[in-house]
Amino acid sequence: MDQRRPHNPSSSYQIRQSAYKRRDDSGRHHCENKHLRPNHHYQSGPTPGPNPLSSRGLSTRRELYERDFPVYKQPVEVGCFSLDAERRFFNDSRQMRYYVEPDRNPNFDLRDGYKDRYIKRDESVKEKLDHILRWILANRSKLSSRVTTASSSALDVDFVTWRGHLTKLLTTPYETREGWLLAVTRFKGTLYISEVETEAARKEQENRTGRHEEMMYWGYKFEQYTCADNVHSLADPGGVVNTNEAFCTVVQTRLEDHRLLFSGEVDCRDKDPNAPAPPACYVELKTSAEICTPKQRSNLHRFKLLKWWAQSFLPGVPRVVAGFRDHEGVVVAVETFPISKISHLIKNEHNCWKPTVCMNFCCDFLSFVKSVATEDNPSVVYLFSFEPHRDVTYSIHKDSQYSFLPHWYVEEMSRQ
């Protein structure tokens, strides 16, 4: 059963909430009147064909989200997991690596090992949420139940997803090139969000040039130059780069009234034994083209820093270390970007992105999903679709190719 809704609804209306609850730092609830401020931006219109259905969409217009920064609770790490060289799951931190601070001008050769010491993960294998779901099954005692009787297996969270999917939501109001598809299933009261590959992304992957493939390797190679396997060792750039390996944090937080559980890959952590507890000790590593002109610096602020900020702000990772490389793949400079300072860096850029717009759009999208994805059924998928300069729309699918919750997870979570 596929119920499809059109991309371009023909008329619109706004649903305004008279009030919504916020918490101040003391944890108390108070209400803020919203009559004069649209909280959700929906569209409605007729659907052609024999089975007409109402259609609703979520606007991505930036100006609609320029309001107060939403309440975002400090993320708390509730666990972690590792994926080994063969992509096997382990409920531990064996793949954790430790940051080795490089010189400011290190001259790392990022091309080294590309031809003979590189094992690349099979991108054709779509893992969906499987690794997070394995972590949930192994750690159900950490996730307190909302109900202790009939639904003792329910999770005490509203959403389960990957950090990368939330990053895409944060950057959507400023995205001008790439669309996305997000599949949502409501199961035992929790909404699971999993990405679906778009046709454009599939074609882009098929048509990558050799240069593009090598430049993707450069990011992993930079990690090899700046990470050690344990707190007492040095980095080993002579080893094999294997992109199957990963260490992932699992964090819980709350965005307004949306309780979130998500996981994201972590590059490394601070070696200092006095460093704060995770996730505040984690370090995100990036590479980018060297900056030679003010225009290039401005472009870094306007485009790359948006994604770097969103990716690290969500799980509470406090800094990004960037290696700036020349055209030949040699790192000529290293710079640290504290996440808390990025909003100050961009404030003088004309018509630049705004963190508040990113977070408010994400918050409203999650509210939109809650209002749409109402059937609690692991075989029903609500497919949310975005194309640049368009509203977010959705379609509903049952027992379809989009189903993503595996039988082993559904069965285990259904046991009393």
Side-chain angles (χ1 to χ4, degrees), residues 45-158:
T47 300
N51 192 14
L53 296 161
S54 65
S55 172
R56 302 196 307 179
L58 180 69
S59 176
T60 59
R61 286 164 49 207
R62 301 166 194 172
E63 63 270 21
L64 296 173
Y65 302 99
E66 292 191 15
R67 52 181 192 263
D68 292 346
F69 200 89
V71 173
Y72 189 60
K73 191 177 175 185
Q74 184 72 33
V76 174
E77 182 176 84
V78 291
C80 63
F81 61 86
S82 296
L83 304 174
D84 73 0
E86 296 174 7
R87 209 63 181 172
R88 292 176 300 191
F89 172 94
F90 292 90
N91 184 35
D92 57 37
S93 61
R94 67 185 65 191
Q95 293 290 344
M96 165 72 80
R97 296 179 299 176
Y98 295 83
Y99 179 55
V100 178
E101 187 165 1
D103 295 336
R104 286 182 62 86
N105 309 104
N107 288 315
F108 294 149
D109 182 3
L110 301 181
R111 298 167 301 178
D112 177 56
Y114 178 65
K115 294 279 198 289
D116 59 342
R117 301 195 313 280
Y118 180 31
I119 299 172
K120 185 182 175 187
R121 182 173 79 83
D122 184 353
E123 292 180 320
S124 69
V125 177
K126 304 304 177 188
E127 298 171 326
K128 303 175 184 177
L129 297 185
D130 288 9
H131 297 309
I132 306 173
L133 303 182
R134 287 189 179 93
W135 182 88
I136 289 173
L137 292 184
N139 296 274
R140 284 168 71 181
S141 60
K142 293 184 179 180
L143 304 168
S144 58
S145 172
R146 189 182 307 151
V147 183
T148 56
T149 54
S151 300
S152 60
S153 58
L155 306 177
D156 197 22
V157 295
D158 298 313

Side-chain angles (χ1 to χ4, degrees), residues 12 20 23 37 79 98 112 141 144 163 180 184 186 189 199 221 253 294 382:
S12 65
Y20 72 96
R23 288 177 190 247
R37 185 183 296 160
Y98 295 83
D112 177 56
S141 60
S144 58
R163 180 264 312 272
W180 48 251
V184 177
R186 183 185 286 270
E199 187 65 17
K221 186 65 183 181
T253 183
Y382 297 82

Side-chain angles (χ1 to χ4, degrees), residues 111-369:
R111 298 167 301 178
D112 177 56
Y114 178 65
K115 294 279 198 289
D116 59 342
R117 301 195 313 280
Y118 180 31
I119 299 172
K120 185 182 175 187
R121 182 173 79 83
D122 184 353
E123 292 180 320
S124 69
V125 177
K126 304 304 177 188
E127 298 171 326
K128 303 175 184 177
L129 297 185
D130 288 9
H131 297 309
I132 306 173
L133 303 182
R134 287 189 179 93
W135 182 88
I136 289 173
L137 292 184
N139 296 274
R140 284 168 71 181
S141 60
K142 293 184 179 180
L143 304 168
S144 58
S145 172
R146 189 182 307 151
V147 183
T148 56
T149 54
S151 300
S152 60
S153 58
L155 306 177
D156 197 22
V157 295
D158 298 313
F159 293 92
V160 169
T161 192
W162 282 108
R163 180 264 312 272
H165 303 351
L166 294 174
T167 300
K168 287 198 172 185
L169 291 174
L170 261 65
T171 60
T172 292
Y174 299 99
E175 182 56 65
T176 60
R177 296 171 60 187
E178 298 176 352
W180 48 251
L181 290 170
L182 292 174
V184 177
T185 289
R186 183 185 286 270
F187 174 54
K188 288 194 167 289
T190 294
L191 291 151
Y192 296 80
I193 304 177
S194 180
E195 188 171 19
V196 174
E197 186 177 40
T198 64
E199 187 65 17
R202 186 187 64 78
K203 287 180 178 176
E204 185 274 331
Q205 185 179 323
E206 283 179 357
N207 298 324
R208 278 182 198 150
T209 63
R211 167 81 174 177
H212 189 172
E213 290 282 357
E214 184 173 359
M215 289 175 69
M216 290 175 66
Y217 167 80
W218 291 355
Y220 295 108
K221 186 65 183 181
F222 180 63
E223 293 175 20
Q224 195 183 52
Y225 276 111
T226 51
C227 295
D229 287 340
N230 62 68
V231 71
H232 300 296
S233 64
L234 299 174
D236 176 23
V240 173
V241 170
N242 186 332
T243 61
N244 287 296
E245 297 176 344
F247 168 78
C248 296
T249 182
V250 182
V251 301
Q252 259 189 292
T253 183
R254 180 172 52 80
L255 174 56
E256 288 291 352
D257 60 344
H258 306 303
R259 297 167 301 167
L260 310 176
L261 176 76
F262 60 88
S263 178
E265 190 169 345
V266 172
D267 292 329
C268 54
R269 64 157 291 158
D270 198 318
K271 271 189 173 187
D272 186 349
N274 296 317
C281 61
Y282 292 148
V283 181
E284 179 67 29
L285 302 172
K286 296 291 184 186
T287 58
S288 191
E290 68 176 321
I291 294 170
C292 303
T293 68
K295 176 67 172 173
Q296 289 170 337
R297 172 66 65 172
S298 177
N299 284 341
L300 176 82
H301 289 173
R302 293 169 61 82
F303 303 111
K304 283 219 166 168
L305 284 193
L306 165 58
K307 293 190 176 178
W308 293 2
W309 170 82
Q311 184 182 20
S312 291
F313 177 79
L314 280 164
V317 173
R319 59 179 162 148
V320 173
V321 175
F324 291 95
R325 42 103 188 139
D326 63 19
H327 189 72
E328 301 304 315
V330 175
V331 176
V332 295
V334 174
E335 189 174 343
T336 297
F337 295 88
I339 296 302
S340 62
K341 303 285 179 61
I342 284 180
S343 59
H344 179 75
L345 276 179
I346 65 170
K347 72 176 185 178
N348 293 324
E349 298 287 348
H350 175 66
N351 200 26
C352 200
W353 59 275
K354 297 177 181 178
T356 186
V357 169
C358 300
M359 293 299 285
N360 279 319
F361 174 78
C362 182
C363 187
D364 280 17
F365 175 82
L366 297 178
S367 296
F368 182 48
V369 168

